[in-house]
Amino acid sequence: MTGHYLALSAILFTIGAVGVLIRRNAIVIFMCVELMLNATNLAFVAFSRMHGALDGQIIAFFVMVVAAAEVVVGLAIIMAIFRSRKSSSVDDANLLKY
Amino acid sequence: MNAIAAGAHQTGESGIFWVLAIVSVAAALGMIFMRKVVYSALLLAVVMLSLAVFYAVNEAPFLAFVQVIVYTGAVLMLFLFVIMVVGVSSTESMVETIRGQRVAAAIAGIGFGVLLILGIGDATLPTSAGLSKANSNGGNVMGLARLLFGNNANDGSDTANALRVSNNIQGYIFAFEVTSALLITAALGAMVLAHRERLKPKPTQRELSQARIKSDQVSPLPPPGTYARHNAVDMPALLPDGSVSELSVSPVIARRRGGSHDDLHGEGPESALRHGTATVKAVLEGQVEGQVEVERAESETSESKEEKK
């Protein structure tokens, strides 16, 4: 059953990666990154069960913490860019200043 | 409960897996193909909830709850807040900045996925050891806490623990402490980024009233619904002669009434007001003459507006 979970995790990760590549909206790109992080978490949890040790779950927990911090800062950046440019498209944010 | 704790292949598990795997993959695909951002966010919520069930099935109840509380509860709601601020109605343009990028990205993504799955399929995985032993001493949360905070010399039962004990590694306490620094930095960073410096001094009441006297409209704008049949915010006020006061409805609401959720994106308040009043008129006239007339009335009113200018 571990293989099944790993395959599902790989599929979800791939979907997230494709989403990051094809979407232009910064918020959707962010959500796709979250999907990729969640997919790796699933792999960690499946491996944790396979090995019979809880370390994989601890790593998944840390991934969640880092993802939460990343979301907070990233969304604040999106808001700041939206304020100055009135757009959340990544194509418009080609300059970091002005 | 014993069956879940057993860690072996459960009969119900493959059923849960196949149903939720299909649901989550479909929701993930929908997420990247939906034009509207809100739909994407809600589909991501579906993926995250099904992942929470996967965690629970994989004997990680703590992570399952954290997934629901932190991801679905906090992170996604934060996403929804930002979507509402940035504009629900903003749809992204389908124009490619780099030509052929979408096709190339899709091919690269499919290739990557095929490689990953082939690699996983080739690997010989040992039979699942199950977490019944690790979760036995006080449950999953206690086991995680022992790993995070304590020395775990007393439960060096499995190989990973034995390795850690032999190397004298004391759990993940240091990583956990570093996490607190990360969270504080993130909170500060978000505050700094969200902070907006006031460029002009805040207008005082005197300045506001002076500006009002100078403008054409000295009295306050008529509130929506005055003398009208309803007092909803999208119902314009009626003037004494029975005509519609276009100023009484917020242009943003008036535009929504017309079905084109454009908000104020890409246009100034002036043009938004002009569009808005045209839409209000069109809706009102359309109510009498039927829904088909609305479009025509809208185009007519906008044309007459153009002529007046």
Side-chain angles (χ1 to χ4, degrees), chain B residues 12-297:
Chain B
E13 191 185 339
S14 61
I16 294 174
F17 175 83
W18 285 113
V19 171
L20 283 181
I22 291 167
V23 166
S24 58
V25 169
L29 282 175
M31 188 189 103
I32 64 168
F33 289 126
M34 282 289 170
R35 291 285 307 272
K36 292 204 168 176
V37 189
V38 182
Y39 293 168
S40 293
L42 293 178
L43 285 171
L44 184 60
V46 172
V47 178
M48 285 177 171
L49 285 174
S50 32
L51 281 179
V53 178
F54 282 136
Y55 295 165
V57 172
N58 269 306
E59 298 170 80
F62 177 70
L63 277 186
F65 281 105
V66 168
Q67 171 85 6
V68 173
I69 294 168
V70 172
Y71 264 118
T72 324
V75 169
L76 263 173
M77 291 311 114
L78 197 62
F79 268 114
L80 282 176
F81 274 134
V82 173
I83 290 169
M84 295 299 165
V85 171
V86 166
V88 206
S89 44
S90 62
T91 46
E92 79 190 68
S93 75
M94 283 292 139
V95 183
E96 286 179 322
T97 321
I98 310 166
R99 200 140 57 92
Q101 190 215 358
R102 270 167 225 276
V103 179
I107 292 170
I110 291 167
F112 175 68
V114 167
L115 276 180
L116 261 184
I117 290 175
L118 282 182
I120 291 167
D122 271 353
T124 42
L125 298 166
T127 48
S128 183
L131 288 171
S132 52
K133 196 187 274 177
N135 281 346
S136 62
N137 192 4
N140 180 247
V141 180
M142 286 293 282
L144 285 177
R146 225 173 275 123
L147 258 185
L148 262 183
F149 303 119
N151 78 41
N152 32 45
N154 52 355
D155 63 343
S157 46
D158 49 70
T159 48
N161 265 344
L163 191 69
R164 206 179 307 106
V165 169
S166 68
N167 289 335
N168 197 22
I169 298 170
Q170 302 287 314
Y172 292 88
I173 186 70
F174 184 69
F176 189 76
E177 297 290 346
V178 171
T179 298
S180 69
L182 175 75
L183 284 176
I184 289 176
T185 317
L188 277 177
M191 276 194 271
V192 169
L193 285 170
H195 178 72
R196 184 158 39 168
E197 211 57 55
R198 189 179 275 283
L199 296 175
K200 286 179 273 185
K202 194 178 178 185
T204 60
Q205 204 152 22
R206 167 180 284 271
E207 284 163 3
L208 284 175
S209 67
Q210 280 168 348
R212 174 174 276 189
I213 298 290
K214 274 180 200 156
S215 70
D216 298 342
Q217 177 88 22
V218 180
S219 65
L221 293 174
T226 310
Y227 298 125
R229 280 173 299 169
H230 319 285
N231 59 356
V233 283
D234 61 342
M235 182 57 66
L238 296 181
L239 295 174
D241 60 345
S243 63
V244 165
S245 168
E246 294 159 355
L247 294 170
S248 60
V249 176
S250 161
V252 176
I253 292 173
R255 290 224 70 183
R256 295 210 167 167
R257 190 67 195 270
S260 60
H261 286 253
D262 264 13
D263 288 359
L264 293 170
H265 287 295
E267 56 180 4
E270 298 293 318
S271 62
L273 183 67
R274 184 161 48 78
H275 281 298
T277 51
T279 328
V280 171
K281 267 190 177 172
V283 169
L284 283 177
E285 285 158 18
Q287 274 176 350
V288 187
E289 295 159 12
Q291 205 57 37
V292 188
E293 299 291 310
V294 173
E295 308 277 317
R296 199 192 303 162

Side-chain angles (χ1 to χ4, degrees), chain A residues 30-93:
Chain A
F30 236 72
M31 291 196 282
C32 291
V33 173
E34 291 302 307
L35 181 65
M36 291 163 79
L37 287 168
N38 268 289
T40 57
N41 272 356
L42 181 64
F44 274 128
V45 171
F47 275 130
S48 158
R49 187 194 192 187
M50 189 183 87
H51 288 297
L54 288 174
D55 299 62
Q57 294 187 15
I58 301 260
I59 302 289
F61 176 67
F62 281 129
V63 170
M64 281 183 184
V65 174
V66 173
E70 174 230 340
V71 162
V72 168
V73 176
L75 287 180
I77 291 174
I78 290 177
M79 288 291 303
I81 291 177
F82 179 75
R83 256 194 224 131
S84 60
R85 272 166 223 277
K86 298 274 169 278
S87 160
S88 58
S89 169
V90 284
D91 287 337
D92 296 337

